[in-house]
Amino acid sequence: MPESVMRVKVFNQLSNNPKYTKTLQWVKLVSVTGFAQVFVQAVSLFSGILVIRMLQPEEYALYTLANTMLGTMTVLADGGISTGVMSQGGKVWQDRDQLGTVLATGMDLRRKFAVGSLLVSIPVLIYLMLHHGASWLMSVLIVLSLIPSFFMALSGTILQIAPKLRQDIAPLQKNQVYMNLGRLVLLALTIFIFPFAFVAVLAAGLPQIWGNMNLRKISSGYADWHKKPDPEIRQNIMKMVRRLLPMGIYTCLSGQITIWLISIFGTTKGVAQLGALDRLSMALSFITIVFGTVILPRFSRLPNNKALLMRRFVQIQGGLLAMGACIVFTAWLFSAQILKILGPNYSNLTNEVVLKITISCLGIIAASTFSLFTSRSWAINPFISIPVSIASIALGVAFIDVSSLRGVLFMNIMIQLIQVVMNVSYTFLKISKTNNSLPTENNKESI
């Protein structure tokens, strides 16, 4: 048989092989998502470095506090709502009307939680600003500049759920690319003339308004946004919120424990240094975004099959662990070169940058595992998770010097390790107790 005929025959056999087809789909999906996120994070990193170099350390410390509080406000306003929406949406993801009802209910809850989050967070932020030397005028300007980012971040996570469940990834990636380019352009046009923290925060938030308008158009093809909130769905989402909100409140404190401790016990310079290291580690956030876009929705859609769930979970954990080890080793190998990006004010943090990258990798594993089990409507009892987490913080404060940057970083490594062990152990336990069921038309899916 001629060689060309053999090649055609082999190609046809591969093309008709379901495993080959599924593998090819995975390669395309991960490649599109991965390359887009690498570009997005490169633009984001460039924007962050521009802010670091243009702002004085004192001003950058205020910028760091503002962004830290933005994360806290977002967590409080979510309270587990997006997780509940993803869980409920995974059950009806092929029905446009029902999915629209789920999303409308989640958005309605988000608006109500946002008001409470603002009332709690704004006084704390103003106090910290004043504590680190900001004037009342500057504190108010920073608070006002956070509002667009806050409300757009809240609605954005809900708007992305429908296309994520349907794995319509390309429009999501394109939207993120354009939005981050808009941030960079707006920042470049303003930061050189007005090198202030509130200008940098506002430049990051305004492009999200356009991005969310585009997200609504994308998701409208899969969900009817004209639906009214449903009381039964609200009750189901609130069940998740009641389980997750206490942990969310704790996360507001523990997730940014390094910033809070260095803000209270350390110096303004220490806050700026930690903020600069945070900016570098944020480049790794593309991993979380790719995970939430590609892996999480598919895991949510898996049928209740114990063997399948265990196999996929072990594969995911193995991949996360290997990836984290490679990232930490690279950071150790090129720590001096990495710090050159930040400029001369931060060039002496060679050991600290490795510690911070280690914290970020452990945080990615802990957060990814948490999102996996909550996407199955599982939640650790807060009367177990919170005491364990508080005990880890108490041990760290008791035996580690938290007034220094390095001490705070070591303490956070210990906290993140405990979170990883707790989340992974809980997921294994829940999967082992899963009762097998036949897949339905709405959840016939495997990773």
Side-chain angles (χ1 to χ4, degrees), residues 150-286:
F150 173 61
F151 282 103
M152 292 304 104
L154 287 180
S155 56
T157 52
I158 300 291
L159 290 168
Q160 292 181 43
I161 288 177
K164 280 184 178 181
L165 286 170
R166 297 299 292 264
Q167 291 292 274
D168 189 10
I169 304 302
L172 290 179
Q173 303 309 310
K174 186 184 296 185
N175 187 65
Q176 286 197 351
V177 168
Y178 289 150
M179 193 166 60
N180 278 272
L181 285 174
R183 287 173 180 168
L184 178 58
V185 170
L186 190 57
L187 186 65
L189 292 174
T190 56
I191 198 68
F192 291 99
I193 304 173
F194 306 104
F196 301 109
F198 77 92
V199 174
V201 172
L202 192 61
L206 290 179
Q208 286 185 273
I209 298 174
W210 174 86
N212 280 19
M213 292 171 61
N214 201 32
L215 279 175
R216 183 175 285 271
K217 294 178 183 177
I218 295 170
S219 63
S220 63
Y222 306 114
D224 184 359
W225 283 99
H226 296 94
K227 292 291 182 180
K228 300 292 184 182
D230 182 84
E232 183 178 351
I233 294 175
R234 181 187 289 112
Q235 185 177 2
N236 291 334
I237 294 175
M238 286 302 298
K239 287 180 182 178
M240 288 295 294
V241 170
R242 282 190 286 270
R243 295 294 298 271
L244 296 177
L245 183 57
M247 195 62 189
I249 295 172
Y250 166 77
T251 301
C252 292
L253 301 175
S254 66
Q256 302 291 343
I257 192 67
T258 50
I259 290 291
W260 303 133
L261 289 175
I262 205 73
S263 297
I264 297 170
F265 300 108
T267 63
T268 301
K269 181 181 178 181
V271 175
Q273 289 176 334
L274 185 56
L277 293 178
D278 276 336
R279 178 57 59 179
L280 283 178
S281 64
M282 281 178 65
L284 300 179
S285 63
F286 83 93

Side-chain angles (χ1 to χ4, degrees), residues 346-365:
Y346 310 98
S347 59
N348 61 329
L349 303 176
T350 50
N351 292 324
E352 287 81 356
V353 72
V354 178
L355 295 176
K356 182 57 186 173
I357 295 299
T358 302
I359 292 168
S360 298
C361 290
L362 289 172
I364 288 171
I365 297 174

